[in-house]
Every structure is written in structure tokens, then in C-alpha cells.
């Protein structure tokens, strides 16, 4: 039973997110998503359109996701890998190299981001159309 863990805000879920989750799940048998809380988003200087609970509910409906846990801070990853017995840590390659310290605890894989899609872009488009 290979367990995979990944982290993110996952606001306004789009096919780039799904593409990441699909590939992450394909690396193992069980995918844990550590979802940034609204408070942690503020630390990341991100404002979500959907609240944590709404983003959590949306992710839990995704066929590739087995468990959603809160991401409260930058420091919890090592503890999470141990606590959830993760064999593989996965992130999009915009984070390449940033989490290599986890290589002491699990496999670290950065996957190519899906080009030309982002929550920010979608929100900007909807705003300028006053939708
Ligand atoms: N992603 C992707 N392609 C996109 C957009 C996002 O592959 N077009 C990936 C990101 O690389 C990340 C995941 O989808 O692995 C979630 O993206 P965000 O919600 O933007 O996450 P981020 O704000 O980068 O938070 O501790 C790590 C942070 O919580 C990561």
C-alpha cells in the first residue's frame, strides 16, 4: 500500500489541479491532500474564493483523493510524512527543489505543471466579465 501526500490551496478547482491529483494518485494506492487552511492562505498571501470547508468538500468529491487534512503551516510536512506514513511526496514543479529536505523521509517527486490554467486567471476572467 503506497501512500502519496501532496499540499496546496486548491481554490476554484480546475483541470490543472485534477491533472496533478490524477498523476499523484497513479504513483501509489492512497492519496492524502494537505489543504491550506484560510489562515495559512493568509500567510501564503493568498485569498481563496472558497472557504477551507468548501474547498475540502470539493476535493473529497474527487475520485483521486482518499483523505483531506488541514495544512496549517510550512513546518508540518516532515511530521505529516511520518504521521500518515507517506512513501511519496508530490508537488507541481513550480516547487522544484523547495521540499528536497523531505528526501530523508520519503520519495520526493515534482510533476510538470499544467500550462495556461490557474485559479487566479479564472477569477480574473470572471471578474472582468462581471459574472
Ligand atoms: N498545479 C499544477 N498546474 C497548474 C496549477 C497548479 O500542476 N496549472 C499544481 C501545483 O503545482 C500544486 C497543486 O497543483 O502542486 C496545487 O496548486 P495550488 O493550490 O496553487 O497550491 P500552492 O498555493 O502552490 O500551495 O505547502 C505547499 C503549498 O501549500 C502549495
Amino acid at each position: 500500500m503506497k501512500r502519496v501526500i501532496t499540499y496546496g490551496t486548491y481554490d476554484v478547482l480546475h483541470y490543472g489541479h485534477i491533472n496533478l491529483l490524477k498523476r499523484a494518485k497513479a504513483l501509489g494506492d492512497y492519496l492524502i491532500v494537505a489543504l491550506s487552511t484560510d489562515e495559512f492562505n493568509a500567510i501564503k498571501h493568498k485569498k481563496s474564493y472558497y472557504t477551507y470547508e468548501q474547498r475540502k468538500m470539493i476535493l473529497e468529491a474527487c475520485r483521486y483523493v482518499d483523505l483531506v487534512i488541514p495544512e496549517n503551516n510550512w513546518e508540518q510536512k516532515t511530521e505529516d510524512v511520518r504521521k500518515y506514513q507517506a512513501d511519496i511526496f508530490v508537488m507541481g514543479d513550480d516547487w522544484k527543489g523547495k521540499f528536497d529536505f523531505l528526501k530523508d523521509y520519503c520519495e520526493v517527486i515534482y510533476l510538470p505543471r499544467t500550462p495556461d490554467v490557474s485559479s487566479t486567471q479564472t477569477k480574473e476572467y470572471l471578474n472582468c466579465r462581471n459574472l
Side-chain angles (χ1 to χ4, degrees):
M1 166 85 141
K2 256 201 179 186
R3 301 163 66 87
V4 184
I5 192 165
T6 190
Y7 291 71
T9 298
Y10 289 98
D11 191 27
V12 187
L13 203 66
H14 54 65
Y15 64 92
H17 293 137
I18 299 299
N19 203 17
L20 191 286
L21 296 170
K22 180 174 185 176
R23 288 174 294 164
K25 179 60 178 282
L27 292 168
D29 312 282
Y30 188 88
L31 177 60
I32 301 156
V33 179
L35 184 63
S36 307
T37 59
D38 298 327
E39 296 75 12
F40 183 50
N41 268 336
I43 295 170
K44 293 199 295 187
H45 308 298
K46 274 192 158 184
K47 175 92 181 68
S48 283
Y49 180 75
Y50 293 125
T51 66
Y52 173 78
E53 286 307 322
Q54 290 164 341
R55 289 180 284 119
K56 179 172 186 287
M57 183 236 258
I58 292 167
L59 272 185
E60 286 172 341
C62 175
R63 67 187 311 164
Y64 303 116
V65 177
D66 296 289
L67 177 67
V68 179
I69 62 171
E71 179 186 29
N72 297 297
N73 56 62
W74 290 111
E75 296 74 29
Q76 69 185 76
K77 293 184 176 68
T78 307
E79 175 57 21
D80 288 346
V81 167
R82 191 194 58 73
K83 185 172 159 188
Y84 294 95
Q85 299 167 326
D87 303 291
I88 307 172
F89 169 89
V90 175
M91 287 301 292
D93 62 3
D94 46 314
W95 292 95
K96 191 162 182 58
K98 298 288 189 309
F99 302 115
D100 288 357
F101 63 89
L102 289 169
K103 284 182 178 171
D104 296 340
Y105 309 96
C106 63
E107 210 178 326
V108 174
I109 296 176
Y110 301 102
L111 296 172
R113 268 177 79 92
T114 303
D116 310 323
V117 62
S118 73
S119 306
T120 309
Q121 206 176 318
T122 307
K123 286 188 261 187
E124 281 165 2
Y125 174 79
L126 293 175
N127 284 336
C128 76
R129 297 279 303 270
N130 298 319
L131 294 180

